[in-house]
Amino acid sequence: MALDGYSRFTFQREGRVLTATITGANPVNGVDGLMHDELARVFTDLQHDTDSDIIVLTGAGRAFCAGGDFAWFAEQIADPRKFRDIGWDAKRIVTSLLDLEKPIICRMNGAAAGLGATIALLCDIIIADERAVIGDPHVKVGLVAGDGGAVIWPQLIGYARAKEYLLTGDMLTATKAAEIGLINHAVPTDQLDAKVAELAAKLMASPRWAVRWTKTVTNTPLKALVAQMMDTSIAYEMMSNMAADRAEAVAAVRERRAPTLTGE
């Protein structure tokens, strides 16, 4: 199946390993409306691609994916219907990533934040440049961490640690993330590609269907948790988008100043 018609992704093949590169309209691969649309269908298209067995997901340039673009945030604040309209796709990003049978390796080449962090952490094996950072700073821009962060973080590092990071929005270094089990490996920049290739080769060395369906079985509890939580998560996130402090938090970031929060 041809992977064409994408503006926010590029694709490269090496044998039966397919690298999908997030290629945003800004230097940190921030999520805009078009990227959100494409994220909601890319993992289904990757599943149907008959010429690949392993997927590597990475980012162009210096970041993996730094979460929502602030100009897009401003549009959603000005017209909350635009946030409502992405709810179905927000669920589909998470469910289609978990439904993908092929192993997917995250090559975390740089910062992964918000939705970018969720996507990275929902991959099967996460290998990061040790200079990268990861975190879910939804709360710092006035949003509930509703696009999957509240689902996956506690499963990887436990509720106590997950709630600390989700409630503060603090970022972690890749080295720290590997130490606490949030990601698999943090390696020097010049070793990143070799480590990704090593893991891809290990996966390719075993029978295809044994690998794919082992992943499928392992993801079953996560999929059940997503079914239980995502509607509520997105609903709360949608409500938080309409709060006064949400607009102030986004304005403060864009204007490079401290926010004046009112609790409203």
Side-chain angles (χ1 to χ4, degrees), residues 88-173:
W88 191 91
D89 279 348
K91 287 189 291 183
R92 192 63 195 147
I93 291 169
V94 173
T95 58
S96 63
L97 181 46
L98 291 175
D99 283 341
L100 176 64
E101 290 182 337
K102 300 173 186 179
I104 180 166
I105 299 170
C106 175
R107 177 187 178 274
M108 204 179 93
N109 57 299
L115 179 57
T118 296
I119 290 167
L121 297 178
L122 288 171
C123 291
D124 303 310
I125 300 172
I126 307 107
I127 304 169
D129 184 322
E130 64 184 6
R131 300 180 303 177
V133 293
I134 185 169
D136 195 326
H138 271 76
V139 295
K140 290 188 174 180
V141 292
L143 282 179
V144 169
D147 57 17
V151 174
I152 191 60
W153 281 69
Q155 310 314 308
L156 297 173
I157 57 174
Y159 277 92
R161 279 176 168 162
K163 284 190 283 188
E164 176 182 346
Y165 288 115
L166 292 172
L167 298 180
T168 63
D170 287 347
M171 303 292 288
L172 298 79
T173 65

Side-chain angles (χ1 to χ4, degrees), residues 151-224:
V151 174
I152 191 60
W153 281 69
Q155 310 314 308
L156 297 173
I157 57 174
Y159 277 92
R161 279 176 168 162
K163 284 190 283 188
E164 176 182 346
Y165 288 115
L166 292 172
L167 298 180
T168 63
D170 287 347
M171 303 292 288
L172 298 79
T173 65
T175 300
K176 178 65 174 180
E179 286 176 359
I180 66 175
L182 186 69
I183 67 173
N184 297 81
H185 304 282
V187 299
T189 304
D190 61 1
Q191 297 177 26
L192 181 60
D193 288 331
K195 190 65 177 179
V196 170
E198 173 193 334
L199 266 296
K202 286 183 177 181
L203 295 172
M204 286 291 293
S206 295
R208 173 193 300 171
W209 298 108
V211 172
R212 287 191 186 188
W213 291 340
T214 295
K215 168 184 173 169
T216 298
V217 171
T218 306
N219 272 0
T220 299
L222 280 176
K223 290 161 70 172

